[in-house]
Amino acid sequence: MNPYVIVSILVAYFGVLMVIAYFTSRNADTQTFFTANKKSPWYLVAFGMIGTSLSGVTFISVPGNVGNTQFAYFQFVLGNLVGYLVIATVLMPLYYRLNLVSIYTYLEQRFGFWSYKTGSFFFLLSRTIGAAFRLFLVAAVLQIGVFQQWGIPFSVNVLITIFLIWIYTFQGGIKTIVWTDTFQTFFLVSAVAISVYLISKELGLSLGQMVATVRESEYGQIFHWDPKSSKYFWKQFIAGAFIAIAMTGLDQDLMQKNLTCKNLQDAQKNMLSFCTVFVVVNLLFLTLGALLYLFAESRGIAIPGRTDYLYPTLALKSFGLLAAVFFLLGITASSYASADSALAALTTAFCIDFLNFDKRTEEDRKKIKFRVHVGFSVLLYLIILIFEALNDESVVTAVFTAAGYTYGPLLGLFAFGMLTRLPVRDRFVPLICVISPILCYIINKNSEAWLNGYRFGFEILILNGFLTFLGLLLLSKKRVAEPEVIPGE
């Protein structure tokens, strides 16, 4: 695909984002940046969350990983639905009842200062790593499609990518993102649907034939029942539930969008609507992955060594102009929809949780917000360059592996706070939350020798949360904690 065509498409695309940013950021203050003044329509939040949740990881790595894991990822998606139900019925009522902006202020009310700072720190760590991984994908695609042909290094490519995100989010924040994510999700879903259609057409398959071909192929297996396999159903299903709770329900990024709805009922409608579309879109991505491998086999095309590059390579070089255009729009939309909200959420959490934002004047808030926004942009840039230098595995695996270690302490903290009334020795909480991931890493590295061949997958998150919970229990005090923050009371 001609790089000048790609650049023209991207210029037009970002032109629309800038127009949206202009209209949504007029008369915006810091409250608009953090909460959108609690006026977001629930249906826009629901649709936009698809783009944020799926991101470039799903867009590229899930189809690419079908060659290694078939449709096993769908077991994980089914588990996600259970997690989303818990979020809608347990976590959201708590957040709305306490009128939270940063969800980690719950930990201060429940446990104390150090628990609060520890929870927010682990979010900042988790989301920074996750956002960097996701942005790496779109930068890699643009490197293949444009910058490599012009001799522009990857580092400059990444700088341009992050700058574009920063410039349309720095003023309107979460209010702008609710609208831009809706726009971007439309292109994400359209891109995968059109890709499936065009590849099926290239293979000469009708809709019914396409479904039958995928189902009967070696790639179409959904359920796996070998307990020692990382694809084992119960591993994937249970891990999917807990990862949804941790990476969505305990994540400032996605919860910040939900908390911009005007009331709890709208936020719950948003979450339940989102679940339906989420399942359908993930099935489309898995179907796309099977079709990509079937197409490559039918044409004698070699599979790239890094399967994350399978879809971009074929879309940009083998399927024609229309497929290439929509692929480019899809990967751009998916990656930016995730990264822009992550940047706003990181800024929100750091300002509120670490800089005593509520005690400052509006003028000081604007200055601090600007500096923090720039600071996290620079941090993402550096992490992406490190990831490019070191990564040697599928990005989807890397993201969820990192999540298992960094979201685990959050899962343990919130579970202990909501399932017990025991207070903790607050000053020891940071130590517990550091030791737990270290123990998990040691257990994971030795699990095959120690546990009769058992290998951990995404469920390492559950072990991490359990160890954190156990550590908090061992160091808990005997008196009963204040009951006002317990859900349902």
Side-chain angles (χ1 to χ4, degrees):
M1 188 176 181
N2 189 307
Y4 291 100
V5 174
I6 295 177
V7 170
S8 299
I9 292 168
L10 291 176
V11 168
Y13 182 85
F14 281 102
V16 175
L17 290 181
M18 297 304 174
V19 170
I20 294 173
Y22 170 77
F23 284 105
T24 55
S25 63
R26 288 187 301 179
N27 302 316
D29 56 16
T30 52
Q31 281 300 107
T32 305
F33 186 96
F34 296 141
T35 69
N37 305 116
K38 290 192 176 291
K39 293 181 180 179
S40 298
W42 67 266
Y43 44 87
L44 286 183
V45 177
F47 191 63
M49 275 182 62
I50 296 295
T52 306
S53 299
L54 297 179
S55 77
V57 171
T58 305
F59 199 83
I60 291 183
S61 284
V62 169
N65 219 26
V66 166
N68 300 320
T69 62
Q70 299 85 47
F71 272 35
Y73 183 73
F74 194 67
Q75 302 171 123
F76 181 83
V77 171
L78 293 175
N80 287 163
L81 296 181
V82 176
Y84 293 141
L85 182 62
V86 172
I87 293 168
T89 58
V90 178
L91 291 175
M92 281 184 175
L94 173 67
Y95 298 154
Y96 268 87
R97 184 165 59 81
L98 297 177
N99 194 29
L100 302 181
V101 176
S102 167
I103 63 174
Y104 308 110
T105 51
Y106 162 76
L107 297 174
E108 182 174 38
Q109 296 179 42
R110 177 62 177 85
F111 298 127
F113 175 86
W114 289 108
S115 300
Y116 169 39
K117 302 302 181 185
T118 301
S120 186
F121 168 78
F122 271 94
F123 160 72
L124 293 172
L125 177 64
S126 304
R127 182 49 73 176
T128 302
I129 294 172
F133 284 171
R134 289 165 170 85
L135 274 176
F136 165 79
L137 287 174
V138 70
V141 171
L142 291 176
Q143 189 69 22
I144 294 171
V146 181
F147 296 106
Q148 187 172 282
Q149 299 179 52
W150 290 347
I152 296 175
F154 183 78
S155 58
V156 176
N157 165 10
V158 174
L159 186 64
I160 294 171
T161 299
I162 292 179
F163 176 74
L164 288 171
I165 292 174
W166 182 87
I167 203 168
Y168 75 79
T169 61
F170 84 97
Q171 183 66 30
I174 195 67
K175 181 181 178 182
T176 295
I177 288 164
V178 166
W179 287 90
T180 56
D181 280 3
T182 301
F183 171 76
Q184 295 183 123
T185 297
F186 170 78
F187 281 104
L188 184 158
V189 176
S190 299
V192 67
I194 289 171
S195 294
V196 167
Y197 168 76
L198 291 175
I199 299 172
S200 298
K201 187 177 179 181
E202 287 283 332
L203 294 172
L205 301 173
S206 66
L207 177 62
Q209 291 171 329
M210 181 268 290
V211 172
T213 299
V214 170
R215 184 176 62 243
E216 295 166 6
S217 72
E218 62 180 295
Y219 306 109
Q221 183 180 355
I222 295 177
F223 300 105
H224 299 259
W225 301 105
D226 178 7
K228 292 184 179 181
S229 170
S230 61
K231 297 181 288 186
Y232 179 47
F233 173 79
W234 288 112
K235 281 186 185 180
Q236 294 281 326
F237 183 82
I238 296 173
F242 279 91
I243 282 182
I245 293 170
M247 294 186 68
T248 300
L250 306 181
D251 183 280
Q252 177 66 27
D253 184 354
L254 286 160
M255 284 297 97
Q256 188 170 355
K257 288 189 178 69
N258 285 277
L259 293 174
T260 65
C261 295
K262 63 181 179 180
N263 55 46
L264 172 61
Q265 290 70 35
D266 277 4
Q268 290 175 320
K269 284 190 290 186
N270 148 54
M271 181 59 68
L272 296 176
S273 301
F274 157 75
C275 287
T276 303
V277 183
F278 180 78
V279 171
V280 174
V281 173
N282 271 286
L283 273 175
L284 272 175
F285 275 109
L286 290 167
T287 301
L288 172 62
L291 290 173
L292 289 170
Y293 280 94
L294 291 170
F295 178 85
E297 291 169 4
S298 70
R299 301 296 192 271
I301 299 173
I303 304 299
R306 183 182 288 179
T307 58
D308 292 334
Y309 292 156
L310 176 63
Y311 185 21
T313 299
L314 293 180
L316 294 174
K317 297 181 179 180
S318 301
F319 296 150
L321 181 61
L322 182 62
V325 168
F326 272 91
F327 166 79
L328 183 63
L329 290 172
I331 182 59
T332 303
S334 60
S335 296
Y336 279 73
S338 175
D340 57 15
S341 61
L343 187 55
L346 290 167
T347 302
T348 300
F350 193 78
C351 286
I352 292 176
D353 297 337
F354 290 94
L355 300 180
N356 298 318
F357 219 57
D358 57 336
K359 299 178 181 178
R360 298 178 184 271
T361 65
E362 179 62 22
E363 190 62 31
D364 285 343
R365 289 181 181 185
K366 288 182 179 180
K367 292 178 182 177
I368 293 169
K369 182 201 71 177
F370 178 84
R371 293 167 186 164
V372 173
H373 207 221
V374 171
F376 275 109
S377 299
V378 173
L379 183 60
L380 288 175
Y381 174 74
L382 296 175
I383 294 174
I384 292 170
L385 296 186
I386 293 170
F387 183 63
E388 163 65 11
L390 300 179
N391 181 57
D392 61 354
E393 60 180 321
S394 169
V395 173
V396 70
T397 303
V399 168
F400 287 120
T401 298
Y405 290 108
T406 55
Y407 277 91
L410 279 174
L411 182 62
L413 277 168
F414 275 84
F416 192 85
M418 300 176 73
L419 297 177
T420 80
R421 295 191 179 188
L422 295 171
V424 298
R425 291 178 171 84
D426 182 53
R427 66 185 182 278
F428 293 113
V429 169
L431 181 62
I432 294 295
C433 291
V434 170
I435 290 175
S436 295
I438 294 173
L439 290 177
C440 278
Y441 180 80
I442 294 170
I443 293 170
N444 188 34
K445 285 296 182 182
N446 296 279
S447 64
E448 291 188 67
W450 293 353
L451 303 174
N452 194 31
Y454 185 89
R455 289 181 295 170
F456 280 95
F458 299 152
E459 76 276 12
I460 195 72
L461 169 77
I462 303 170
L463 175 63
N464 198 348
F466 172 76
L467 291 175
T468 303
F469 188 102
L470 183 61
L472 296 172
L473 183 63
L474 292 174
L475 291 175
S476 63
K477 301 177 184 178
K478 298 304 179 184
R479 66 178 179 83
V480 176
E482 296 296 329
E484 64 267 22
V485 296
I486 303 301
E489 295 196 357

